[in-house]
Amino acid sequence: MTAERLPAELASWPACTPGEEQLGELELLTSGAFGPLTGYLTAEDLSAIATRGELADGTPWPLPVTLTVPASAVPGDADHLVLQDPEGSPLAVVEITERADADPDPDSDSGRTALRLAGPVSALRSPEHGPFRALRRRPADVRAELGSAPVLALATRRPLGQRQLGQLRHLADQLGARILLLPLVAGPAELVIRPEALVRAVRAAGRQLPDGTLVVPVPLPPQANAADELRAGAVVAAAYGATHLLAEGGRIGGEPRDRSGKSDFDFRKLGLEILTEGEWAYDPLAEVWRPLGLIEPGLERGELSDGELGELLDSGAALPAWLMPAGVAAELRRARPPRSARGVVVFCTGLSGSGKSTLARDLRDVLLERGDRTVSLLDGDLVRQLLSAGLTFSRADRDLNVTRIGYVAAEVARHGGIAICAPIAPYASARAAVRKMVSEVGDFVLVHVSTPLEICEERDRKGLYAKARAGLIGSFTGISDPYEAPDDADVVIDTSQVSRHEAVAAVLRQLSRGGWLA
């Protein structure tokens, strides 16, 4: 079954679009990175993996590979399911040989019941879009290029600093090996968030390594813990031709590790040896990273924590050269510019009549008067006409309204602007979804305009509360529908207790304190 010879039944089979992480696993299956697997695993296989580290037929395999879909996507009599990309183009077909109840896919609406499906997968076409698609090569092609020489791999979700580069050079020299860097691009990247930023940073690091170093992005989803992350990384490293895998850090799964890579799974069955280098530190006298035992006690410098690195990036301070090569530091600054130049969404939430729209407009005016940041206001008639038209007061439509506003705000933040939003946004889950969306491209400041309900009713210039009390408006927030007050607000303002000037000043202080305003 191929894209050139699609089965006639394809149009009649049910179809489903998996989330980002399951699309990544599908690509690993169809590309051969999960070889020898040819499909999603059965309950018998999953049980054998959990107890023996192998498939039901005895093939060594450490990793569960499953497909979870909404139960509504698969009719009870369906024996095939088409998996498609976010644009609706078919990528593969699953021949369903087993189905069972499952926890919902975390990428989907968790309120829906879900099924776990098993069965062979037939590829229809390869994914075509996404950053660095040309680098996402098939394992067979990479193995052919690497040949039979030793290959030292590192699978990573974070940019590489001087410590990792020193360890890679040291081990590659000892082994006479080529180096293979595998940035893992399904799910968020550490420090830089976006997978394309991770690839840029890893490519910059690769330029500091010996000639012949390869960088191949791999859509491997994040695993539940460090031990599972190691197993998953080992599977894909072996598929791409690695003979050795450098495990990041000196401890795996909470247990001390030695360079033999001892584990409850025998990685040698994958044709792979796991290496760890113990604790390294920077030696300021020799101006190199080296094993801690070779450094005069008291002189060593350790790596900065993610929090410390984040503070340097947020403030725009230079990253020390002993910690990060200049090229990697430049990519980190590009991916995470200082807050003074980074996009931010100021999201005001509160009851109708709480004063959130007045606060949003006043804040917009003050920022425009300052002139040091571009500002977009997402509130008022334009939002109602262009984003909210046709929506009702149902919970689904309210959430959709907040999502639409959040999407536009995130695009403003992506390009370095300040977006000010002022929807009621009564539900915590919808606000959390917007925070997550925005946080991938910028920063998020939640302002709870906490003016009490009775004050909002007194203000009621549009007569909405009176109509709600009379039953003329259903599902009205605060009357016949709940408002879930946020417990994660960055600023809380009761406009019945402060003036308009004081309310704006409170938000400006937060923006200045956080570094978004000078």
Side-chain angles (χ1 to χ4, degrees):
M1 190 185 303
T2 66
E4 291 73 26
R5 302 183 65 180
L6 296 177
E9 305 92 339
L10 186 68
S12 65
W13 288 337
C16 179
T17 301
E20 176 194 1
E21 294 184 5
Q22 292 204 128
L23 282 173
E25 286 193 331
L26 175 64
E27 184 175 339
L28 296 175
L29 273 173
T30 57
S31 70
F34 273 171
L37 300 191
T38 58
Y40 295 105
L41 299 176
T42 65
E44 187 180 10
D45 286 322
L46 296 175
S47 176
I49 291 170
T51 56
R52 306 192 305 272
E54 59 186 30
L55 302 178
D57 65 4
T59 302
W61 188 261
L63 188 66
V65 179
T66 61
L67 175 65
T68 302
V69 300
S72 59
V74 189
D77 60 350
D79 55 7
H80 290 79
L81 178 66
V82 180
L83 300 181
Q84 55 193 19
D85 68 15
E87 302 303 319
S89 297
L91 296 174
V93 173
V94 183
E95 181 184 345
I96 303 171
T97 60
E98 179 180 292
R99 65 178 73 198
D101 292 337
D103 293 331
D105 175 4
D107 286 341
S108 70
D109 182 349
S110 60
R112 295 181 293 182
T113 56
L115 292 176
R116 179 187 59 77
L117 303 181
V121 172
S122 299
L124 299 176
R125 52 181 281 271
S126 298
E128 296 177 352
H129 303 292
F132 297 108
R133 173 57 59 183
L135 295 182
R136 284 162 72 158
R137 302 165 58 189
R138 297 180 68 85
D141 296 334
V142 175
R143 290 196 305 269
E145 179 175 345
L146 291 172
S148 59
V151 176
L152 172 64
L154 175 66
T156 184
R157 300 190 189 277
R158 61 181 298 115
L160 305 183
Q162 297 284 23
R163 175 182 65 83
Q164 294 94 337
L165 295 177
Q167 291 177 343
L168 286 166
R169 293 189 199 99
H170 170 69
L171 288 171
D173 183 62
Q174 283 190 333
L175 297 168
R178 289 185 66 176
I179 296 174
L180 174 63
L181 301 179
L182 303 173
L184 305 178
V185 295
E190 297 176 30
L191 277 180
V192 294
I193 309 298
R194 296 295 305 165
E196 62 270 17
L198 174 64
V199 176
R200 289 197 301 267
V202 171
R203 294 185 79 192
R207 289 190 280 273
Q208 306 296 313
L209 293 170
D211 292 343
T213 294
L214 294 183
V215 178
V216 181
V218 177
L220 180 69
Q223 305 299 305
N225 54 57
D228 289 347
E229 191 79 4
L230 176 64
R231 295 185 188 99
V235 164
V236 296
Y240 281 93
T243 57
H244 300 78
L245 176 67
L246 175 58
E248 292 195 89
R251 294 168 66 85
I252 302 298
E255 297 296 329
R257 301 294 299 259
D258 62 27
R259 289 188 56 180
S260 66
K262 293 178 180 177
S263 169
D264 54 354
F265 180 80
D266 187 354
F267 292 99
R268 291 173 298 182
K269 294 180 179 179
L270 299 177
L272 193 72
E273 181 180 355
I274 305 296
L275 305 178
T276 64
E277 274 299 283
E279 191 170 359
W280 279 41
Y282 180 70
D283 185 343
L285 294 181
E287 297 185 339
V288 295
W289 283 80
R290 63 202 316 185
L292 183 60
L294 301 179
I295 303 174
E296 184 177 336
L299 293 181
E300 71 278 0
R301 292 181 190 168
E303 291 186 301
L304 300 184
S305 68
D306 284 358
E308 291 169 327
L309 269 175
E311 288 178 4
L312 290 177
L313 292 168
D314 290 348
S315 68
L319 299 182
W322 60 266
L323 183 70
M324 289 283 174
V328 177
E331 292 300 338
L332 291 182
R333 287 193 294 271
R334 181 190 301 183
R336 189 166 169 169
R339 281 184 169 176
S340 60
R342 191 186 311 165
V344 59
V345 173
V346 180
F347 194 92
C348 303
T349 174
L351 295 169
S352 177
S354 62
K356 61 188 181 301
S357 291
T358 298
L359 171 60
R361 289 193 295 269
D362 288 348
L363 178 62
R364 184 269 317 269
D365 292 345
V366 170
L367 293 175
L368 288 176
E369 290 170 5
R370 288 171 56 103
D372 52 350
R373 299 295 303 264
T374 57
V375 184
S376 298
L377 175 64
L378 300 177
D379 189 39
D381 289 340
L382 280 177
V383 167
R384 282 186 282 274
Q385 293 168 9
L386 300 179
L387 297 181
S388 307
L391 299 182
T392 69
F393 285 99
S394 71
R395 174 156 188 167
D397 277 3
R398 287 168 181 244
D399 286 350
L400 179 57
N401 179 51
V402 172
T403 299
R404 288 175 176 178
I405 293 171
Y407 172 77
V408 177
E411 290 303 300
V412 172
R414 183 191 303 275
H415 296 286
I418 296 178
I420 305 169
C421 313
I424 293 174
Y427 305 120
S429 60
R431 296 192 298 263
V434 173
R435 181 189 288 271
K436 180 181 178 183
M437 188 190 317
V438 170
S439 296
E440 292 184 356
V441 296
D443 293 327
F444 185 86
V445 174
L446 182 62
V447 179
H448 178 204
V449 185
S450 62
T451 309
L453 174 62
E454 58 271 19
I455 302 297
C456 297
E457 280 201 76
E458 290 175 6
R459 293 174 176 173
D460 201 17
R461 290 182 295 180
K462 299 178 182 178
L464 298 177
Y465 282 99
K467 292 179 180 178
R469 293 286 187 191
L472 300 178
I473 301 177
S475 301
F476 190 83
T477 301
I479 303 300
S480 52
D481 210 56
Y483 176 79
E484 299 172 0
D487 57 9
D488 57 346
D490 301 288
V491 183
V492 179
I493 298 171
D494 179 351
T495 62
S496 69
Q497 301 295 316
V498 300
S499 68
R500 287 172 59 174
H501 174 78
E502 290 169 330
V504 172
V507 180
L508 290 174
R509 281 195 299 272
Q510 178 67 25
L511 294 176
S512 297
R513 189 182 305 121
W516 296 286
L517 296 178

